Amino acid sequence: MKTEWRIFLIIAGFLFGATILYGAWTAGEANGHIEWVGTTALALSFFLCSMCGGFFWFVSRRIDLRPEDRPDAEIADGAGEVGFFSPGSYWPFGLALAAAVAGLGLVFWQFWLVGAGLVAVIFSACGLLFEYYSGTRRTAEH
């Protein structure tokens, strides 16, 4: 996780500098007004990278060093089970469809369609999250 938070925070620093430079550059144009769309997009990108970098930094303090983070690690240190990966799921399609319905509601300014789309987004996200959840674990004692 050490590498990840450094990469994200370096990119966030670049985006912060680019935001200031872009805002100053567009303010120096002939009309003297800042171009807000690009400045806002760069600022939001800075905040997103800062949030990801901060999360990875927080997690990296709580876990042991992984083989990727150690300079003396061997390739064999990373061998073994990596985790569980879903062989296939229809929930991402449902999530995209629900987001499209909510987006169409915004496009046509139909609040009932936005509401239906957001409910479907929440339902689809829960379905994706709990797809392999089978209840509480039972031990041999129970």
Side-chain angles (χ1 to χ4, degrees):
M1 292 293 196
K2 192 178 200 181
T3 305
E4 288 90 346
W5 72 261
R6 285 183 179 167
I7 289 173
F8 273 104
L9 291 182
I10 287 170
I11 293 172
F14 169 77
L15 288 170
F16 181 73
T19 304
I20 292 172
L21 182 66
Y22 185 81
W25 196 343
T26 58
E29 296 282 324
N31 61 4
H33 297 293
I34 294 176
E35 198 275 316
W36 287 108
V37 175
T39 306
T40 303
L42 284 169
L44 290 175
S45 299
F46 158 72
F47 286 124
L48 181 63
C49 282
S50 298
M51 187 173 59
C52 292
F55 171 76
F56 286 134
W57 173 74
F58 181 74
V59 169
S60 72
R61 294 181 338 168
R62 304 179 116 214
I63 63 173
D64 294 331
L65 285 177
R66 301 175 304 163
E68 297 89 24
D69 297 329
R70 294 190 344 245
D72 62 335
E74 297 289 329
I75 293 175
D77 292 341
E81 185 177 334
V82 177
F84 173 75
F85 299 97
S86 176
S89 175
Y90 291 110
W91 285 110
F93 177 73
L95 190 59
L97 187 64
V101 168
L104 282 174
L106 282 175
V107 167
F108 294 116
W109 211 243
Q110 299 294 318
F111 292 113
W112 66 272
L113 195 57
V114 173
L118 290 178
V119 168
V121 163
I122 291 171
F123 178 74
S124 298
C126 290
L128 183 65
L129 181 65
F130 295 115
E131 183 173 11
Y132 294 103
Y133 181 73
S134 60
T136 58
R137 290 186 177 226
R138 303 207 181 250
T139 60
E141 297 172 7
H142 291 92

